[in-house]
């Protein structure tokens, strides 16, 4: 089966996909991002010693807000009525990084992969923003879709999850 880009019309022009005739189904996506930093920066966050406050709480809220605003940020994304957004953030002290996983759900006609990816990305960017004064060398990496459930194309899980 040949895969085709859905956001291009027959003339090769970008357009928003018409999902009007599609069935409403339950859909879910989980995305992940990591931000690597100096051990001292991670310790400062974990110990609650950052002068700007609770870094994880702010990043979590930023990720949730980003998922809700995805269609304002990414051209051709449909505005969605998300029924659940969660952004889980944990310190991985072994690898000097913060791991972010975002989950988005809805009952709708189109998937929520971009919303989950946006939530994970913006949460990582928020951590960078809050900590850049002490660690400009942080690296955001491994932003990826881990799983999508539902829809016409069916379920999908990333082959290699850490």
């Amino acid at each position: 089966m040949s895969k085709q880009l859905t956001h291009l019309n027959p003339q090769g022009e970008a357009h928003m996909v018409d999902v009007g005739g599609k069935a409403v189904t339950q859909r879910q996506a989980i995305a992940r991002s990591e931000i690597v930093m100096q051990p001292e920066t991670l310790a400062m966050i974990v110990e609650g010693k950052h002068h700007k406050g609770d870094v994880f709480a702010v990043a979590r809220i930023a990720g949730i807000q980003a998922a809700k605003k995805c269609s304002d940020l990414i051209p051709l994304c449909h505005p969605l009525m998300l029924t659940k957004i969660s952004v889980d953030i944990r310190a991985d002290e072994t690898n000097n990084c913060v791991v972010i996983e975002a989950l988005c759900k809805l009952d709708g006609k189109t998937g929520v992969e971009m919303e989950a990816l946006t939530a994970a990305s913006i949460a990582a960017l928020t951590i960078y923003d809050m900590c850049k004064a002490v660690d400009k060398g942080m690296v955001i990496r491994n932003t990826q879709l881990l799983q999508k459930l539902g829809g016409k194309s069916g379920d999908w899980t990333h082959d290699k999850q850490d």
Side-chain angles (χ1 to χ4, degrees), residues 11-12 17-18 20 28-30 34 37 44 49 52 54 63 78 85 87 93 95 98 116 121 130-132 137 143 154:
Q11 293 77 37
V17 174
D18 181 359
Q28 173 180 304
I30 300 171
E34 301 170 348
M37 59 192 64
M44 177 189 65
K49 294 182 178 177
K52 290 186 178 182
D54 186 339
H78 292 83
I85 306 167
V87 178
E93 293 166 317
N95 295 302
V98 173
S121 298
M130 291 185 75
C131 298
K132 69 183 182 289
T143 301

Side-chain angles (χ1 to χ4, degrees), residues 94-112:
T94 302
N95 295 302
N96 298 317
C97 72
V98 173
V99 178
I100 302 149
E101 286 194 8
L103 176 143
C104 293
K105 287 184 176 183
L106 65 63
D107 295 326
K109 296 182 176 195
T110 189
V112 291

Side-chain angles (χ1 to χ4, degrees), residues 76-91:
L76 310 179
C77 279
H78 292 83
L80 301 179
M81 292 295 298
L82 297 169
T83 58
K84 179 171 180 62
I85 306 167
S86 67
V87 178
D88 295 320
I89 302 174
R90 67 175 172 81

Side-chain angles (χ1 to χ4, degrees), residues 42-64:
L42 186 57
M44 177 189 65
I45 294 169
V46 170
E47 294 167 9
K49 294 182 178 177
H50 196 294
H51 71 279
K52 290 186 178 182
D54 186 339
V55 174
F56 288 179
V58 174
R60 187 175 300 107
I61 292 167
I64 291 167

